[in-house]
Amino acid sequence: MHVSLEELDKKAQAVLEQYEGVDISAKQRTQIPLQDMPAQDPQIRVTNMEEVALGYTENQVRAEALRCLQCKNKPCIKGCPVGIDIPAFIAEAAKGEHAKALSIIKESSSLPAICGRVCPQESQCQLYCTVGKVLKDVEQSVSIGRIERYVSDYGREHQCETMPTVAAETGKKVAVVGSGPAGISAAMDLRREGHTVVMFEALHKAGGVLVYGIPEFRLPKKIVEHELQNLKDMGVTIRRNYLVGKTRKISDIMGKDGFDAVFIGSGAGLPRFLGVPGENYVGVFSANEYLTRSNLMKAYAVGEALTPLFDSHKVVVFGGGNVAMDAARTAKRLGAEEVTIIYRRTDLEMPARREEVAHAKEEGIKFLYLHAPLQVTADEHGKVNGVELIECELGEPDASGRRSPVEIPGSEKIFACDTVIIAIGNSSNPLIKATTDEIEVNRWGNFVVNEDTCETTLKGVYAGGDIVLGAATVILAMGQGRKAAKAMNEYLLTK
Ligand code: FAD
Ligand code: SF4
Ligand code: SF4
């Protein structure tokens, strides 16, 4: 049942009246109820593109912060890839000192408003939280991400975030390829050290997956724009519509163009396909294309956007990760009457975040488990009219540790639909590798780097994020951008 923001705020106020200013025992802290995230009513939100999660109120953030035990050994920090001092910032949030809380976070993270929203906290910081362990339920852990989101939004909205200072100019010039979280973090840290930083982005808008992949209803674009503006205010130049490998090669950038070092954060934007007959029919999309049309080209703004919107009624999405959830929920908002996610395993093996699956179900997305595609079918005009599926059962665990789907002979069936979206993963784009022989890649096409410095096999060229890790997470990309920037700074100062 949907609970309104006002009701949730009232409950938080009652907690504060009982506990604030009182010397609370650890046991009492674990008894304070977890503060639920206020959200748009599912019936309403499927009709708009606005953010689903509304963010904590001031009462809620303080009540949630009171649940933190301020553990001496700080176990939550080891779950955060960038090592934010979590208990310290929560202690400030509990006092209502949000600007101080934010400055603690910013010592380790350059994109907290984004990570507070999209980090898979339940498998990172919150997985290690003592409160979750005491209550034997990770979902009962202190909501670290939600508190982080609140203080970051507070800083932005009240204009009280501390801007990074820029050291005296060093005269060194660095190129950053790609403007996703890896590139943004590297650029920010390199500029902080006083180097000239130019960022090259292939698309007409900067931000990487944060802008073209993750939908507005999960991550409002104004938040990413704010971070990019901070970068520009620090003096970073962003050149868009600049495809490194075509517009200029890495050898030109390091040669005639006079750059002293390069960071490559070009992501994993090459979609994988099913490899079944019929994938070229009209109405089949990769999730990348589908989401880019909607997010970046604003196809949902019918009559205003130049990008046409495919008229879908019955949509099928193949996949079980966050990208599949985003594509399905976008299709619903774009007007499809029925959207079904088809997955080869069961919901237990699905890699998507539990919260995203729950939101999708609330919005009426259907799930068909243990089915795999055999082919896409079409009418005489080549327009999709269905998919042929085969039922599966779970067999032995595969290399990923999950039980593998085994097809059941004779269980073939046709599932009618007019749109198919494929969301089964992405690989790295081969363009930079194809034009730079010296850069070594592994068998998946990801750049091979020194684990400590993120340097590639080409001297002075560093890389991080999805181009190294394969499709991973925002916080891991950000962490690699920062690690590379530190090593690049040392390289530049001794060059
Ligand atoms: P990207 O964000 O991919 O940015 C790379 C940039 O480089 C792009 O802008 C691209 O246009 C540009 N580029 C590529 N080649 C060139 C070139 N040759 N020249 C110039 N520019 C180039 N992670 C989470 O943590 N939580 C989530 O909820 C989540 N949801 C996701 C939902 C979707 C739909 C997708 C696709 C991914 C999601 N991820 C999520 C994963 C996360 O977004 C990525 O791991 C992260 O963005 C990787 O950052 P990056 O900087 O390495 O690359
Ligand atoms: Fe947790 Fe992510 Fe914030 Fe780290 S950045 S504390 S993992 S939400
Ligand atoms: Fe607080 Fe949980 Fe970290 Fe302990 S583990 S300091 S309770 S957030």
Side-chain angles (χ1 to χ4, degrees):
M1 198 194 64
H2 180 71
V3 185
S4 73
L5 182 142
E6 290 72 22
E7 284 171 79
L8 293 171
D9 186 59
K10 236 189 232 166
K11 283 188 191 164
Q13 203 176 351
V15 169
L16 295 179
E17 278 162 14
Q18 187 178 352
Y19 292 111
E20 220 175 23
V22 178
D23 193 12
I24 326 172
S25 69
K27 189 164 178 214
Q28 282 172 314
R29 286 186 193 273
T30 60
Q31 286 165 348
I32 297 174
L34 178 127
Q35 301 299 303
D36 287 324
M37 176 59 100
Q40 273 199 74
D41 186 326
Q43 307 281 328
I44 297 172
R45 70 188 192 227
V46 290
T47 64
N48 65 50
M49 281 287 169
E50 280 149 39
E51 194 170 14
V52 167
L54 300 173
Y56 275 163
T57 64
E58 170 71 20
N59 284 334
Q60 280 189 297
V61 81
R62 297 218 313 266
E64 186 63 24
L66 286 181
R67 299 181 67 233
C68 174
L69 304 171
Q70 293 294 313
C71 310
K72 288 224 162 50
N73 56 346
K74 309 178 180 186
C76 44
I77 299 182
K78 77 166 181 252
C80 172
V82 295
I84 293 175
D85 190 345
I86 296 167
F89 93 73
I90 294 184
E92 295 301 336
K95 290 187 262 172
E97 296 283 354
H98 304 311
K100 276 192 198 160
L102 181 55
S103 70
I104 294 170
I105 299 173
K106 286 229 163 183
E107 283 166 22
S108 313
S109 166
S110 28
L111 304 171
I114 294 167
C115 295
R117 284 172 165 81
V118 305
C119 254
Q121 294 108 11
E122 64 283 359
S123 57
Q124 296 183 334
C125 51
Q126 292 175 199
L127 180 66
Y128 295 88
C129 175
T130 313
V131 174
K133 300 249 186 269
V134 170
L135 299 176
K136 296 188 173 55
D137 181 359
V138 67
E139 291 190 9
Q140 288 295 318
S141 293
V142 175
S143 302
I144 301 167
R146 291 172 181 176
I147 302 175
E148 183 174 331
R149 167 189 165 145
Y150 182 91
V151 298
S152 311
D153 287 355
Y154 182 96
R156 191 180 62 254
E157 283 156 16
H158 292 79
Q159 289 159 13
C160 60
E161 54 185 344
T162 33
M163 279 293 288
T165 47
V166 175
E169 300 294 334
T170 61
K172 303 283 182 194
K173 216 169 134 191
V174 187
V176 171
V177 181
S179 61
I184 294 175
S185 310
M188 197 170 271
D189 284 3
L190 286 161
R191 181 64 196 134
R192 228 189 263 233
E193 297 296 338
H195 308 303
T196 299
V197 180
V198 183
M199 186 180 249
F200 298 104
E201 168 54 51
L203 295 173
H204 67 275
K205 244 189 171 175
V209 171
L210 306 177
V211 167
Y212 79 75
I214 304 179
E216 177 79 19
F217 56 81
R218 275 212 301 129
L219 177 61
K221 301 308 156 223
K222 65 170 193 225
I223 291 169
V224 187
E225 274 156 27
H226 176 79
E227 297 303 344
L228 290 165
Q229 190 55 50
N230 281 347
L231 212 55
K232 287 189 223 162
D233 292 345
M234 287 170 73
V236 172
T237 306
I238 304 179
R239 296 198 58 184
R240 295 165 292 124
N241 300 311
Y242 197 109
L243 183 62
V244 174
K246 271 262 188 274
T247 317
R248 300 290 281 162
K249 293 186 193 147
I250 295 287
S251 54
D252 300 323
I253 292 176
M254 290 290 274
K256 284 186 217 138
D257 300 350
F259 284 88
D260 297 289
V262 179
F263 173 80
I264 302 174
S266 53
L270 189 69
R272 289 196 203 123
F273 285 87
L274 298 167
V276 300
E279 281 189 290
N280 287 329
Y281 287 136
V282 179
V284 181
F285 297 87
S286 68
N288 258 36
E289 180 190 346
Y290 196 79
L291 289 168
T292 303
R293 277 172 181 265
S294 173
N295 295 330
L296 194 66
M297 323 295 267
K298 303 272 177 277
Y300 59 82
V302 179
E304 289 169 40
L306 292 175
T307 306
L309 177 62
F310 192 78
D311 191 18
S312 304
H313 299 275
K314 210 171 164 197
V315 178
V316 152
V317 179
F318 286 108
N322 287 327
V323 182
M325 301 305 135
D326 283 345
R329 297 172 70 195
T330 298
K332 191 85 183 170
R333 283 163 173 76
L334 293 181
E337 286 115 47
E338 192 182 301
V339 183
T340 308
I341 290 180
I342 301 182
Y343 184 54
R344 296 184 306 161
R345 298 179 166 98
T346 73
D347 59 341
L348 285 180
E349 290 83 26
M350 234 167 30
R353 293 184 65 194
R354 295 292 105 189
E355 187 178 307
E356 302 310 327
V357 177
H359 278 155
K361 286 185 177 164
E362 283 169 11
E363 290 166 12
I365 307 294
K366 296 183 173 174
F367 287 76
L368 179 61
Y369 301 114
L370 291 170
H371 280 77
L374 291 178
Q375 64 165 323
V376 181
T377 60
D379 64 14
E380 67 278 17
H381 306 293
K383 286 188 166 174
V384 171
N385 63 9
V387 282
E388 188 186 1
L389 304 174
I390 185 161
E391 252 180 75
C392 301
E393 58 190 355
L394 290 182
E396 294 302 312
D398 62 13
S400 71
R402 293 174 301 170
R403 292 179 67 191
S404 49
V406 179
E407 294 178 359
I408 304 172
S411 65
E412 296 81 357
K413 62 186 77 160
I414 296 289
F415 190 100
C417 64
D418 55 36
T419 308
V420 174
I421 304 174
I422 301 162
I424 57 163
N426 284 331
S427 312
S428 54
N429 192 307
L431 182 61
I432 295 180
K433 164 62 194 156
T435 51
T436 323
D437 289 340
E438 303 90 330
I439 293 182
E440 222 175 89
V441 295
N442 64 18
R443 65 188 163 114
W444 298 283
N446 302 330
F447 288 8
V448 173
V449 296
N450 174 319
E451 269 187 31
D452 298 325
T453 62
C454 289
E455 192 173 21
T456 66
T457 44
L458 177 57
K459 192 151 183 60
V461 177
Y462 295 71
D466 282 4
I467 186 69
V468 170
L469 301 168
T473 63
V474 171
I475 189 72
L476 287 172
M478 212 189 83
Q480 282 212 317
R482 297 205 74 190
K483 192 199 273 185
K486 189 164 175 280
M488 289 171 81
N489 185 44
E490 283 159 19
Y491 168 78
L492 289 166
L493 296 181
T494 52
K495 189 172 177 238

